[in-house]
C-alpha cells in the first residue's frame, strides 16, 4: 500500500506541472531524442504514413531498404490503425500460400478496393468461389492446345522482341541506349499475359512503338488501386 501511495503522489506531482512548462520540456526531450537516434520511423496513430507517402513513388525500394536496415525479411507497420505486413522470407511465403493458405483470406476490404479492377476473379475471391475458379483455371490450362499456344506466344516474344532489344542494348555504346531491365521484363510479361488471356497484342516490348492506351490505362488503374489502400 505504501508503494502504491508513493506512485500516486509522484503521478499527482507530475499532473500538477503547468502545461506552459510541460509542453516546452516535452518538445526539448523529443528534439534531443530525434537528434540522438534520428527521426522516428513510426508515430502514434499515423504510424509510418509520413515516410510512406514521401516514398510512394518508390514503395518497393523503400520497403526493401527498411528490411535491409532492420536485417529482417518481414516488415510490419500500422497506418491510421490499419496493420500492414510485407515479407520476402521464403518460409513465411510458403506458409501463407501453401502450408496454411486457408487462414490468409483476402477479406472484404481487399475485395472492395480491388473490385473495380479485378471484379470477382480468382485474384479477388475467397472460399468456395476461389476454389471453383481455381478448378476451372486448372482445367483450362491443362488443355494441350492452350499449352501449345502459350509456348508459341512466349517463344515468339522472346525471339522477335526480347532478345533483339537486349542485343541492341549490349552492342550499343551510346548512353542513350541504356535500358531499364525492370521495365523491359514488365513489358515482356504484359505482352504475354494480354495475348494469352485477352487475345490482344499490346506490343509493349516493341520499342519503336509508343505505349498504347491499354498500357497507360493499366498503369493508371494500378496506381489508383494502390492509393486506395492507404487513402480509403
Amino acid at each position: 500500500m505504501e508503494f502504491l501511495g508513493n506512485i500516486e503522489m509522484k503521478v499527482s506531482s507530475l499532473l500538477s506541472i503547468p502545461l506552459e512548462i510541460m509542453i516546452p520540456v516535452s518538445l526539448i526531450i523529443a528534439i534531443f531524442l530525434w537528434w540522438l537516434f534520428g527521426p522516428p520511423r513510426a508515430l502514434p496513430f499515423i504510424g509510418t504514413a509520413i515516410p510512406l507517402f514521401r516514398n510512394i513513388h518508390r514503395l518497393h525500394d523503400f520497403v526493401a531498404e527498411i528490411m535491409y536496415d532492420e536485417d529482417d525479411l518481414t516488415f510490419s507497420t500500422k497506418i491510421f490503425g490499419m496493420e500492414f505486413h510485407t515479407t520476402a522470407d521464403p518460409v513465411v511465403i510458403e506458409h501463407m500460400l501453401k502450408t496454411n493458405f486457408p487462414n490468409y483470406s483476402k477479406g472484404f476490404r481487399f475485395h472492395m478496393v480491388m473490385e473495380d479492377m479485378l471484379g470477382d476473379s480468382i485474384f479477388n475471391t475467397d472460399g468456395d468461389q476461389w476454389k471453383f475458379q481455381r478448378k476451372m483455371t486448372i482445367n483450362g490450362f491443362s488443355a494441350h492446345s492452350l499449352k501449345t499456344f502459350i509456348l508459341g506466344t512466349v517463344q515468339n516474344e522472346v525471339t522477335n522482341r526480347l532478345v533483339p532489344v537486349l542485343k541492341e542494348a549490349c552492342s550499343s555504346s551510346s548512353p542513350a541506349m541504356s535500358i531499364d531491365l525492370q521495365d523491359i521484363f514488365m513489358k515482356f510479361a504484359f505482352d504475354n499475359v494480354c495475348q494469352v488471356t485477352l487475345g490482344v497484342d499490346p506490343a509493349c516490348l516493341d520499342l519503336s512503338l509508343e505505349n498504347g492506351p491499354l498500357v497507360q490505362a493499366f498503369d493508371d488503374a494500378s496506381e489508383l488501386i494502390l492509393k486506395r489502400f492507404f487513402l480509403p
Side-chain angles (χ1 to χ4, degrees):
M1 293 297 294
E2 183 178 353
F3 175 72
L4 294 177
N6 291 334
I7 293 179
E8 185 178 352
M9 289 178 60
K10 291 179 181 179
V11 171
S12 299
S13 62
L14 287 174
L15 293 177
S16 64
I17 299 176
L19 285 177
E20 56 268 23
I21 297 177
M22 178 74 76
I23 293 176
V25 170
S26 300
L27 287 175
I28 292 173
I29 295 174
I31 292 172
F32 174 74
L33 293 175
W34 186 299
W35 174 80
L36 191 63
F37 300 106
R41 184 162 285 158
L43 297 171
F45 182 66
I46 65 173
T48 57
I50 294 177
L52 183 65
F53 292 147
R54 189 180 298 161
N55 292 275
I56 195 69
H57 62 288
R58 51 184 298 275
L59 182 61
H60 295 94
D61 290 334
F62 173 65
V63 174
E65 289 168 1
I66 293 177
M67 292 179 177
Y68 179 81
D69 292 340
E70 301 292 338
D71 194 22
D72 192 343
L73 292 177
T74 300
F75 167 64
S76 302
T77 186
K78 283 188 177 182
I79 302 176
F80 299 115
M82 298 180 291
E83 292 188 10
F84 293 88
H85 307 278
T86 305
T87 184
D89 190 332
V91 176
V92 177
I93 293 173
E94 182 181 13
H95 173 78
M96 294 176 64
L97 298 183
K98 181 181 178 182
T99 309
N100 200 19
F101 178 75
N103 191 51
Y104 296 94
S105 61
K106 302 173 187 70
F108 171 76
R109 184 170 182 275
F110 184 93
H111 181 274
M112 180 181 64
V113 170
M114 302 292 290
E115 186 174 15
D116 288 339
M117 187 173 184
L118 298 179
D120 292 322
S121 67
I122 190 173
F123 304 106
N124 201 33
T125 52
D126 292 310
D128 293 338
Q129 191 173 7
W130 177 87
K131 290 179 181 178
F132 172 76
Q133 295 201 41
R134 181 177 181 272
K135 183 178 179 180
M136 296 294 292
T137 303
I138 290 175
N139 290 338
F141 276 89
S142 63
H144 179 71
S145 58
L146 182 58
K147 289 182 178 180
T148 303
F149 174 69
I150 293 175
L151 181 60
T153 300
V154 174
Q155 284 181 337
N156 178 68
E157 191 76 13
V158 170
T159 304
N160 298 323
R161 288 178 179 166
L162 180 61
V163 172
V165 168
L166 297 178
K167 278 186 176 180
E168 186 176 355
C170 292
S171 60
S172 175
S173 58
S174 172
M177 193 50 209
S178 61
I179 60 174
D180 183 349
L181 282 178
Q182 181 176 343
D183 181 62
I184 292 296
F185 287 125
M186 183 187 73
K187 291 177 177 178
F188 170 74
F190 193 76
D191 279 354
N192 283 304
V193 170
C194 286
Q195 291 180 73
V196 172
T197 60
L198 303 177
V200 175
D201 182 8
C204 300
L205 205 53
D206 189 342
L207 301 185
S208 64
L209 303 176
E210 294 185 2
N211 287 342
L214 176 61
V215 180
Q216 188 60 49
F218 185 84
D219 286 344
D220 292 342
S222 299
E223 183 176 353
L224 290 172
I225 290 295
L226 176 63
K227 289 181 178 178
R228 280 186 181 182
F229 280 103
F230 304 109
L231 299 171

